[in-house]
Amino acid sequence: SESPIAIFVPGRINPRVLDRLKTVFDVINGSVDALDADQKNRVRGIAVSGKCDAAMIDAFPNLEVISSFGVGYDGTDTAKAAERGIIVTNTPDVLNDEVADTAIALLLNTLRQLPRAENYLREGRWAKEGPFALSPLSLKGRSVGILGLGRIGLEIARRLEPFKVTIGYHTRSQRSDVGYTYYPSLKEMAGAVDTLINIAPGTPSTFKIIDTEIFKALGPNGVFINVGRGSSVDEEALVVALRERTIAAAGLDVFFAEPQVPAELIALDNASLLPHVASASVPTRNAMADLVVDNLIGWFKDKTVLTPVPETPVKK
Ligand code: NDP
């Protein structure tokens, strides 16, 4: 009988991925450096949460498929994979609702300072010092611009409708299926709105596009929410904009060099900060884990994957 197909899992991943993979494959979990040549030769698939760069891909001569945990796959070198004919998959759609819900929560937390208000109560200050200070900002009457109106951006827009704000978006190509105001340029949108939500992917085309100019355009009543990727933001410019009140506040779930968060950002009282938790509920992470595993099972069963990324050499 044939030996089971070996799947390499670098570093940490959702435990459900490992549990399910182990029922079907020979799972090798650890660091690439710890593997011998025989193990490297046997690996035909990778399941990864985080980084899968060119060096990792080239460590495995018989690699066929990389199943990446998460919808954003900026940690995987898709160009290198495509060059070698290796399939890359991600986990779209199953997390849309969770991430959109978190974006709304982060928006409200940022505007109304609710995490700070809870800390105030927990620290016993309510009884001693009286009511928590009024929040200077409110969602009422705001004009929201969404950078990226894809699967998740659209769910955020739909959730914003009952909040009675105006809704616009910027993407490279206008959508024909929505009535929200389209802005052909990010700067134009930032100038027209007072609330900017980023839910675009982290790619070379979005690298540091949210910069000093954008914060200036957003203005002193401006609020910036980031649930997309930290690489899309000039983080030093953001710190300056918050400190000098070029914009009023920011709510961030993602950062430029995670898990490092600049001390300057943590020190600011007009920033609401989360440790990249937008999709991080047990039910949603379980659904993502299942998709990671089912893509691998599908590939080794009949060479079909459920959710290939657009850069990958095969289509569905
Ligand atoms: P989609 O691919 O469905 O949507 C991406 C959207 O971004 C599209 O509307 C696209 O439109 C737009 N876009 C891409 N490049 C640019 C650009 N250079 N300028 C302007 N708009 C651009 O992705 P999803 O909605 O599924 O996910 C979006 C991203 O959200 C993920 O890639 C991931 O990085 C992030 N994310 C973060 C999470 C978190 O935990 N904080 C959780 C889940 C996702 P067009 O191509 O027309 O420009």
Side-chain angles (χ1 to χ4, degrees), residues 71 149-152 171-173 199 201 205 227 229 253 276 278:
V71 66
L149 198 74
R151 291 169 294 237
I152 301 169
T171 51
R172 289 165 302 179
S173 25
I199 185 63
S205 75
V227 282
R229 281 292 181 262
D253 183 51
H276 202 146

Side-chain angles (χ1 to χ4, degrees), residues 108-137:
L108 287 167
N109 281 351
T110 304
L111 291 163
R112 300 295 330 288
Q113 305 180 321
L114 301 177
R116 279 174 199 282
E118 181 165 352
N119 285 341
Y120 185 84
L121 177 155
R122 289 179 183 280
E123 288 161 4
R125 296 175 63 188
W126 187 14
K128 276 193 215 128
E129 299 172 39
F132 185 68
L134 307 185
S135 70
L137 304 174

Side-chain angles (χ1 to χ4, degrees), residues 73-249:
Y73 50 95
D74 40 302
T76 294
D77 191 333
T78 53
K80 171 50 109 179
E83 190 187 297
R84 282 194 42 202
I86 295 163
I87 309 303
V88 177
T89 64
N90 64 341
T91 65
D93 291 315
V94 294
L95 42 48
N96 292 353
D97 290 329
E98 203 73 72
V99 177
D101 290 352
T102 310
I104 300 296
L106 182 56
L107 174 63
L108 287 167
N109 281 351
T110 304
L111 291 163
R112 300 295 330 288
Q113 305 180 321
L114 301 177
R116 279 174 199 282
E118 181 165 352
N119 285 341
Y120 185 84
L121 177 155
R122 289 179 183 280
E123 288 161 4
R125 296 175 63 188
W126 187 14
K128 276 193 215 128
E129 299 172 39
F132 185 68
L134 307 185
S135 70
L137 304 174
S138 167
L139 184 56
K140 274 191 79 67
R142 284 201 166 255
S143 174
V144 181
I146 303 174
L147 169 55
L149 198 74
R151 291 169 294 237
I152 301 169
L154 188 60
E155 289 297 336
I156 293 174
R158 288 190 174 134
R159 278 160 178 71
L160 284 170
E161 287 181 26
F163 289 97
K164 298 181 262 186
V165 293
T166 67
I167 303 167
Y169 71 102
H170 167 64
T171 51
R172 289 165 302 179
S173 25
Q174 182 170 8
R175 289 184 70 134
S176 56
D177 57 346
V178 298
Y180 309 124
T181 308
Y182 176 67
Y183 296 95
S185 102
L186 173 59
K187 195 174 167 200
E188 192 193 321
M189 180 168 81
V193 304
D194 56 27
T195 308
L196 174 64
I197 301 179
N198 177 39
I199 185 63
T203 63
S205 75
T206 62
F207 189 75
K208 291 192 180 181
I209 58 173
I210 301 155
D211 59 8
T212 303
E213 281 220 323
I214 299 302
F215 297 129
K216 277 192 187 140
L218 204 52
N221 191 36
V223 169
F224 171 57
I225 302 297
N226 195 3
V227 282
R229 281 292 181 262
S231 61
S232 302
V233 181
D234 180 340
E235 210 164 66
E236 285 165 30
L238 174 60
V239 169
V240 173
L242 287 168
R243 192 189 288 140
E244 297 181 355
R245 308 281 159 160
T246 308
I247 64 169

Side-chain angles (χ1 to χ4, degrees), residues 236-297:
E236 285 165 30
L238 174 60
V239 169
V240 173
L242 287 168
R243 192 189 288 140
E244 297 181 355
R245 308 281 159 160
T246 308
I247 64 169
L252 311 172
D253 183 51
V254 288
F255 301 88
F256 194 83
E258 295 174 13
Q260 302 309 319
V261 178
E264 297 96 315
L265 214 40
I266 294 174
L268 290 166
D269 63 5
N270 54 347
S272 186
L273 310 174
L274 295 175
H276 202 146
V277 294
S279 71
S281 73
V282 169
T284 294
R285 287 288 171 86
N286 279 349
M288 293 162 68
D290 282 340
L291 198 42
V292 166
V293 174
D294 291 336
N295 273 312
L296 289 170
I297 289 176

